Amino acid sequence: MGAGDAAEGAARPLGIAAVPGLAVGHAHHPTALTGCTVVLTPRGAVCGVDVRGSAPGTRETDLLAPHNLVEAVHAVVLSGGSAYGLDAATGVMGFLEARGIGLQVGVGVVPIVPGAVLFDLAVGDARIRPDARAGRLAASVAWRAWSAGDHGDDAGEAPPGWCVAGADAEGNVGAGCGATVGKLAGPAHAVKSGLGTAARRLPDGTVVGALVAVNAVGEVVNPATGRVIAGARRPDGGYEDSLDLLIRRVHTVTAGTNTTIAVVAANTSLTKAQANKVAQMAHDGLARSIRPVHTMYDGDTVFALATGGRPVPVDVIGAVAAEVLAEAVVRAVLAATPAGGLPACSTHGLEG
Amino acid sequence: MGAGDAAEGAARPLGIAAVPGLAVGHAHHPTALTGCTVVLTPRGAVCGVDVRGSAPGTRETDLLAPHNLVEAVHAVVLSGGSAYGLDAATGVMGFLEARGIGLQVGVGVVPIVPGAVLFDLAVGDARIRPDARAGRLAASVAWRAWSAGDHGDDAGEAPPGWCVAGADAEGNVGAGCGATVGKLAGPAHAVKSGLGTAARRLPDGTVVGALVAVNAVGEVVNPATGRVIAGARRPDGGYEDSLDLLIRRVHTVTAGTNTTIAVVAANTSLTKAQANKVAQMAHDGLARSIRPVHTMYDGDTVFALATGGRPVPVDVIGAVAAEVLAEAVVRAVLAATPAGGLPACSTHGLEG
């Protein structure tokens, strides 16, 4: 299956997989530069979403409104491949159906699998996109972690060229495999980005985590210092000011070709309305770490999962979610490696 | 009328009043510590809004949805006084009606005056709130600036104890007169905040401005450095980490007693949908300068005005609006002066 040959992040503290009640798996094609990431919640999780980019590609988000029926989701899928990548959720649904996991509907189960996609067709091979087989592959990796040994033998063979990675992977993996940032001077001046994850354990033991694939048109800022760590490259190793670029050269960008998609999660009990509030507050982490963000060119979408546990005030979960999401964004670009003819910030930037 | 006796900011570059097509006036009660601010658009302006705090107090915001009828507003009112302060818009409507400014409805005009309020009842005198007379007073100041000389003699007498200030004023004026920040260790450890304004002129001459009254439960951060400049006070002159306070002591805060309310504006032509997008993007300026923000305790609301002019891409207006709004937030706390038994950051902080 190619497990283990994906780019791995350095030794690190906590990622979203530290949140009890979920498991993570990635599948990606390292030369086509695309992939998908599954956050599996086999016991069900309360889910909310907030879509703040103006060019989103999403699936099963309407049912997350507090007034709608469904109370639990069984996975969330982040995927490359633009709208084609929405197909990855089909494979996750099939994987879950085979295990009897889903909403009981009398004649069987219907797994509830919301998802969002990013545009990575312009790097690598545009003809290869995360499809149902890729989604199934990523789900099988998450399932293996979940069930501690079940190798998910009905996951089928990995499609040619595809490989997988587990929850600790960051950088050019899963939905972040083809991600890039800093495109306001045009795609030739972009920097390779990727996928990042971070988490924080609260004093009561509750863990709040974030996982993000960063494909923003804007630059990435370290909120702790205000400094740009990945953006539109200058020849001298530095970065242009993206706001100035936006004002002067906005027409160099193609609408709908960027997006930051994320999942935040905590092992606490939230209502659907509260989960939507957490997704809303988590976007503040994108605002602090990406500049500009939430543009007409981005489809920025954040899902929030509550896997159940002791109650914690929604503001605590939301505020910490914003912090760990910003941290995950920074990690995503720091962990990325050069690909598709683009350097990573570690090979271009003046600072780490 | 008491004009000119309000706190004035230092010499400064541009504020929202640099945006052609609008005028600003403030009325406030310096001992009751409350007030209101009117942004007048007598020729009409396209308006959008985004409410992201979970304890808002608003008026005439539903009509701003893109699918609703009204295409122009004639003023936006920001006010202290909690929900009582919504009455200030009544006075602004009356002032405009007397001048024939409003939506033509055959039997006269109906001025369209959206507004939002913040909670300042706990400082100064809770029994004194911005009412219709205060709104009319602030409108008369804005009108004087607009008409360059018309003293608005039907504005009536200033109510006892009330005074006014013009567009250049910052700090303890208008809707920011009773504003405070850094309340996560309880109100006794807060810092006086206020009202701030900033603007930026684009190369094509378009001006994007912001005006904000900052009454956040969270701390104010300078996004350029990542440093806290006003928050929950420590005895040594520094500030607590608000996120840590939130995690440990969230129950010390009373829900619904905080809020940051703002107007961003530009002399460009936007659709209502675009104006709503600008309001949405402008909230990123709050995310970058206030931590935490958009909580259940805040009623954070941003209005976006387009006064007409040459078209500019909505992303440019939105991204610059976020920048100038963050700048205005920083200015609001830097310009504030001690009041209500609370220091300002200029008299407490370790840095300016």
Side-chain angles (χ1 to χ4, degrees):
Chain A
M1 283 173 69
D5 57 1
E8 292 283 334
R12 55 187 308 284
L14 293 178
I16 195 172
V19 178
L22 60 79
V24 176
H26 305 287
H28 43 269
H29 193 301
T31 54
L33 292 175
T34 193
C36 62
T37 296
V38 174
V39 178
L40 215 59
T41 53
R43 286 197 294 261
V46 174
C47 187
V49 69
D50 191 20
V51 179
R52 290 184 71 68
S54 289
T58 58
R59 172 171 170 154
E60 292 279 55
T61 47
D62 282 320
L63 61 79
L64 301 177
H67 58 272
N68 287 334
L69 178 74
V70 163
E71 285 294 331
V73 306
H74 307 98
V76 173
V77 179
L78 306 182
S79 182
S82 189
Y84 298 111
L86 293 171
D87 189 34
T90 304
V92 179
M93 288 184 68
F95 187 87
L96 290 168
E97 184 189 16
R99 283 157 183 77
I101 296 169
L103 180 69
Q104 292 289 341
V105 291
V107 294
V109 297
V110 177
I112 306 298
V113 183
V117 297
L118 59 79
F119 181 96
D120 55 11
L121 301 181
V123 295
D125 185 341
R127 297 164 303 178
I128 297 176
R129 305 121 182 195
D131 56 9
R133 288 191 302 170
R136 176 181 287 267
L137 189 62
S140 73
V141 174
W143 182 258
R144 196 183 316 164
W146 176 260
S147 58
D150 176 345
H151 280 228
D153 45 32
D154 67 348
E157 286 297 305
W162 286 78
C163 53
V164 301
D168 289 338
E170 292 182 293
N172 301 16
V173 299
C177 188
T180 55
V181 296
K183 284 164 272 187
L184 281 163
H189 300 273
V191 171
K192 187 70 185 70
S193 175
L195 181 135
T197 182
R200 180 162 170 175
R201 193 183 304 275
L202 305 184
D204 74 350
T206 302
V207 181
V208 184
L211 178 150
V212 64
V214 185
N215 194 46
V217 68
E219 64 198 13
V220 173
V221 176
N222 184 342
T225 62
R227 290 199 192 153
V228 176
I229 55 173
R233 283 178 290 125
R234 288 199 314 254
D236 68 359
Y239 298 109
E240 306 277 358
D241 181 295
S242 284
L243 192 70
D244 286 343
L245 284 176
L246 180 67
I247 293 168
R248 291 186 284 117
R249 298 169 65 173
V250 63
H251 300 295
T252 60
V253 183
T254 305
T257 57
N258 312 276
T259 280
T260 300
I261 47 181
V263 178
V264 297
N267 57 325
T268 184
S269 296
L270 298 178
T271 64
K272 277 178 79 180
Q274 290 172 325
N276 278 283
K277 178 68 186 175
V278 169
Q280 180 199 47
M281 291 180 69
H283 269 284
D284 289 344
L286 301 187
R288 290 169 187 150
S289 57
I290 304 173
R291 174 172 173 270
V293 70
H294 303 138
T295 74
M296 299 298 287
Y297 303 105
D298 293 292
D300 306 329
T301 299
V302 178
F303 296 94
L305 292 168
T307 59
R310 73 184 76 196
V312 179
V314 63
D315 280 325
V316 173
I317 303 297
V320 177
E323 293 287 310
V324 294
L325 181 49
E327 186 184 336
V329 169
V330 170
R331 294 188 61 88
V333 295
L334 293 180
T337 49
L342 297 174
C345 67
S346 57
T347 60
H348 170 77
L350 298 172
E351 55 173 324
Chain B
M1 284 174 67
D5 58 1
E8 293 284 333
R12 55 187 310 284
L14 294 178
I16 196 171
V19 178
L22 60 79
V24 176
H26 306 286
H28 42 267
H29 193 300
T31 54
L33 292 175
T34 193
C36 61
T37 296
V38 175
V39 179
L40 216 58
T41 53
R43 287 198 293 262
V46 175
C47 186
V49 69
D50 190 21
V51 180
R52 290 183 72 68
S54 289
T58 58
R59 173 172 169 153
E60 293 278 54
T61 46
D62 283 320
L63 62 78
L64 301 178
H67 58 273
N68 286 335
L69 179 73
V70 163
E71 286 294 332
V73 306
H74 306 98
V76 173
V77 180
L78 306 181
S79 183
S82 190
Y84 298 111
L86 293 171
D87 191 33
T90 303
V92 179
M93 288 183 68
F95 187 88
L96 290 168
E97 183 188 17
R99 282 155 184 78
I101 295 169
L103 180 69
Q104 292 290 341
V105 291
V107 294
V109 298
V110 177
I112 306 298
V113 183
V117 298
L118 59 81
F119 181 96
D120 55 12
L121 301 180
V123 295
D125 186 340
R127 298 163 302 177
I128 296 177
R129 305 119 182 199
D131 58 9
R133 288 192 302 171
R136 177 180 287 268
L137 189 62
S140 74
V141 174
W143 182 257
R144 196 182 316 161
W146 177 259
S147 58
D150 176 345
H151 279 230
D153 45 30
D154 67 348
E157 286 297 304
W162 285 78
C163 53
V164 301
D168 289 339
E170 294 182 289
N172 302 15
V173 299
C177 188
T180 54
V181 297
K183 285 163 272 187
L184 282 163
H189 300 274
V191 171
K192 186 71 184 71
S193 176
L195 181 134
T197 182
R200 180 162 171 175
R201 192 182 305 274
L202 306 184
D204 73 349
T206 302
V207 181
V208 184
L211 177 150
V212 64
V214 185
N215 194 46
V217 68
E219 65 197 12
V220 173
V221 176
N222 184 343
T225 62
R227 290 200 191 151
V228 176
I229 56 175
R233 283 178 290 124
R234 287 199 315 251
D236 67 0
Y239 299 108
E240 305 277 0
D241 181 296
S242 284
L243 190 70
D244 285 344
L245 284 176
L246 180 67
I247 293 168
R248 288 187 284 118
R249 297 170 63 174
V250 63
H251 301 295
T252 59
V253 183
T254 306
T257 58
N258 311 277
T259 280
T260 300
I261 47 181
V263 178
V264 297
N267 57 325
T268 185
S269 297
L270 298 177
T271 64
K272 277 177 79 182
Q274 289 172 325
N276 278 284
K277 178 67 187 175
V278 169
Q280 180 200 48
M281 289 180 71
H283 269 283
D284 289 344
L286 301 186
R288 291 169 186 150
S289 57
I290 304 173
R291 174 175 176 267
V293 70
H294 303 138
T295 75
M296 299 298 287
Y297 303 105
D298 294 292
D300 306 328
T301 300
V302 179
F303 295 96
L305 293 168
T307 59
R310 72 183 77 194
V312 179
V314 63
D315 280 324
V316 173
I317 302 297
V320 177
E323 293 287 311
V324 294
L325 181 49
E327 186 184 336
V329 169
V330 170
R331 294 187 61 89
V333 295
L334 294 180
T337 49
L342 297 174
C345 67
S346 58
T347 61
H348 170 78
L350 299 171
E351 57 174 320

